[in-house]
Amino acid sequence: MDNGNSGVNGSSSAILESISVPNDVDMVETREWLDSLSSVLQTSGIDRAEYLLTQLRLKAHTAGVHIPFTANTPYINTIPPGKQPAYPGDREIERKIKSLIRWNAMAMVVHANELDGTLGGHISTFASCATLYEVAFNHFFRGPETPGGGDLVYFQGHASPGIYSRAFLEGRLSEQHLKNFRRELEPGGGLSSYPHPWLMPNFWQFPTVSMGLGPIMSIYQAKFNRYLQDRKIVPPSDRKVWCFLGDGECDEPETLGAINLASREHLDNLIFVINCNLQRLDGPVRGNGKIIQELEAAFKGAGWNVIKVVWGSEWDPIIARDRTGILLHRMNETVDGEYQKYAIEDGAYLREHFFGKYPELLKLVEDYSDEQLTKLRRGGHDPLKVYAAYKAATETKGVPTVVLVKTVKGYGLGEAGEGMNITHGQKKLKAKHLLDFRTRFNLPFSDEDVSKARFFLPDQDSPEIKYLHERRKALGGYLPVRTSKAPDLKTPGQEFIKRYVTGSGDKSPSTTGVFVDMLGHFLKDKDIGARVVPIIPDEGRTFGMDPFFTTFKIYSHVGQLYEPVDAKMAVAYREAIDGQILEEGITEAGAMSSFIAAGTSYTTHGVQMIPFYIYYSMFGFQRIGDLAWAAADLRTRGFMLGATAGRTTLSGEGLQHEDGHSHLVASTVPNLVAYDPAYAYELAIILRDGIRRMTGPTQEDVFYYITLYNDNYPMLPMPEGSEEGVLKGIYKLKKSSIEAQGGKKVHLFGSGPILVHTLKAQQMLAEQFGIAADVWSVTSYRELRREALEVDRWNMLHPTHTPKLSYIEKILGEEEGVFIAASDHMRSVPEMITRWVPGGLFALGTDGFGRSETRPSLRRHFEIDTECITVGTLYQLSKKGLIETSVVADAITKLGIDPEKISPMTA
Ligand SMILES: Cc1ncc(C[n+]2csc(CCOP(=O)(O)OP(=O)(O)O)c2C)c(N)n1
Ligand SMILES: [Mg+2]
């Protein structure tokens, strides 16, 4: 598309000239300056021009001339035609392939909704970005057989029909699969609506459709790839992380929230491709502005390399003709709402409304027919422009790149939705629209094929299919594809648990302290030590992990460029290129993204890592719940440790910090295993078993949530034979010291630090009320419930078989009496198992807002301290008619409980 006047210099001077428009008080002077610059550009080139302009800016600044700040370049392509590389592919054949993919993608959605109009699906998104993917598939995405590993690609979630459609042409999906798009339970299997590794574990690598999560996860994925290389766990490689996203998606805080990190870490292995079709679901992304310019400024400001692909090749000669800059001025002043309108109107409209605004601009296109003007494409529909941008992006060193590509939403749908505000949800096309689609993309289908929206698969030896396979072969295989073939790790032996079974003697550590001790052992373990990834969001000192800063060091790609202030101390803040700790700063979303990257390295790198992500439990699920859901979908393996847990245990911190519900939210994640341990041996058994399940020969796709507390109390020795119960979720900790009288038998369930009160209540009940109580440690209500639900379900569906018994039913089957639970979490947590407890379970818990107070005051406020557990027990006995109600009333008085105290539930 070079018309002889569109080389680097011609185009650059046109850009510069645009600055002079309009309101120029001395055009002759302006012209002289611009001519000088043109002359420098012609004789000495771009570098010299940049040098001179820098000098001018410095001189102007010292003289008090304040040049207005702008992070924006004009609204044209970053790469001028003269710098555009030759296109290496067969454009004709690639266009045919792309048209077939467009068709089948569209047909999938149409079919699904013909069968059942409730199924939904998206046609317009892929229609807008087909070229963005096809250029990448044919020339850039490196497949899994590439030495050092293939590229990691985050596909825009609701563009999935296009990705399925390509896999169909590649022979990786069948017509049956396509017919069963959004019908995953049909015989032979179907296709999930969006990318979900949980549902299609051999295909999708990254879930992306919750807007914003793909971008933030991809940034930390790129960082983690570096981490593995810097720590020499994987060899150096040039594999890229590509993240495709929508312009509307950039409204999400997660999308832009971590972009500074990417440049700070020099992640030149990361490429964002933002499909700027100017529309989101309801309408324009920035009708009154320009999303591409806004994003350019944001990414430039954050230190990224920004490549804009705004206009297709047809615009090049028109831009080159623009000697005064009037065209650039017009392009700059036009807002996206208008551009959206131009996308659906014809050339005559464009001539009148866009070019027609200025007479000299109109002249620029006077020799163009209306038809030619109609065919002026946007950059994202021109493979030459997209190729040039990707090539530059993949060759960029030292910084991440964002490619901002202007496209038309619903491209090719014509009246059925192209550029229209309703296009996002368009999923039913009429016969006329299908025929138009065929014509627009020159598809060789009969009218009947078209009217039935038939899928089309060319012969395997057709030039298109051959080409497609050849390209993927040359690029290292097909994408997306997900594999998991990492070697197993050796689980630490029983001796690890033995360290903790004897208890802490006269010492009173917290479970957080105990955990840090255990983590230290794992880090030093000769088999798994190097694979342990401690992750902290600026809370290392809170949890007593600062000694690790010195011994295992904090990871930094540049090492440590300064001497830390505490260099002379035994515990110094050490950063190192091979540092093992990921100290992510104050970003739970970032730390969780690192957790995900580390916990999926078995599939992305074929190497198992064991992330331990420790954080304030309140800032876990409540804050980053959707990332936890993504972690589950991704089959992440690792440990999330909710420290400073418990609504009454984290005293003094109040409403915002005191967590009493993370276990409730955790219970909503199907493959998350959650524990609330009280003692060191419980924690040791759980951690060791977790490592075994996730990284040993079973390599289960589960991850763990474990709460840790900062309450100091003696760690008891393990009652013999408790291992199974610890893992299943319940075991008897301490039998009553007295015999039950008159059927007055009680069972007290406790977890975490509240177990200490439960044991004291056991004593109080025996000594002051003559009541026998056994104490049970419940390490996981969730695990008990999960297993019991499975058993119930089996029994329901096999009514003629002998019913099975769940673990909780087996364990409690022989027990009699009343059952009381006390927890530092909401009552709903123990109540998860109520229906399997003989006679039901009466739960005490921490429903309500946290408060700034001391631990004893909080435990009284929430009615879970020793006295309240005792009263709760007596109350339950009275309800069974085993004691008089007056005994309960007397106890309330005697134990100093104010029956008229404020209710914690609403206070
Ligand atoms: C967190 C979240 N909120 C809302 C949605 C629903 N949603 C799906 S697509 C979409 C619009 C996307 O617009 P854009 O990012 O511009 O993508 P385009 O389809 O235009 O390429 C919305 C709101 C979602 N998937 N995730
Ligand atoms: Mg959009």
Side-chain angles (χ1 to χ4, degrees), residues 516-571:
V516 173
D517 184 63
M518 292 176 186
L519 183 61
H521 283 290
F522 293 144
L523 281 160
K524 284 182 227 137
D525 186 290
K526 65 176 177 17
D527 295 307
I528 62 163
R531 303 303 179 84
V532 172
V533 186
I535 304 172
I536 35 177
D538 201 34
E539 295 287 355
R541 289 181 203 280
T542 313
F543 308 135
M545 289 171 69
D546 35 329
F548 292 168
F549 295 167
T550 319
T551 39
F552 299 102
K553 302 189 183 61
I554 293 162
Y555 170 68
S556 160
H557 182 55
V558 295
Q560 193 161 40
L561 307 176
Y562 60 95
E563 183 173 283
V565 284
D566 48 12
K568 293 203 174 69
M569 322 261 279
V571 176

Side-chain angles (χ1 to χ4, degrees), residues 122 125 128 156 158 209-211 245-250 252 275 277 279-281 285 409 424 626:
H122 301 88
T125 298
S128 68
Q156 196 184 351
H158 51 290
V209 84
S210 182
M211 310 264 114
L245 58 146
D247 47 358
E249 186 170 2
C250 295
E252 291 284 3
N275 174 17
N277 54 25
Q279 289 175 246
R280 49 190 175 203
L281 194 151
V285 178
K409 192 150 179 170
H424 187 85
D626 205 12

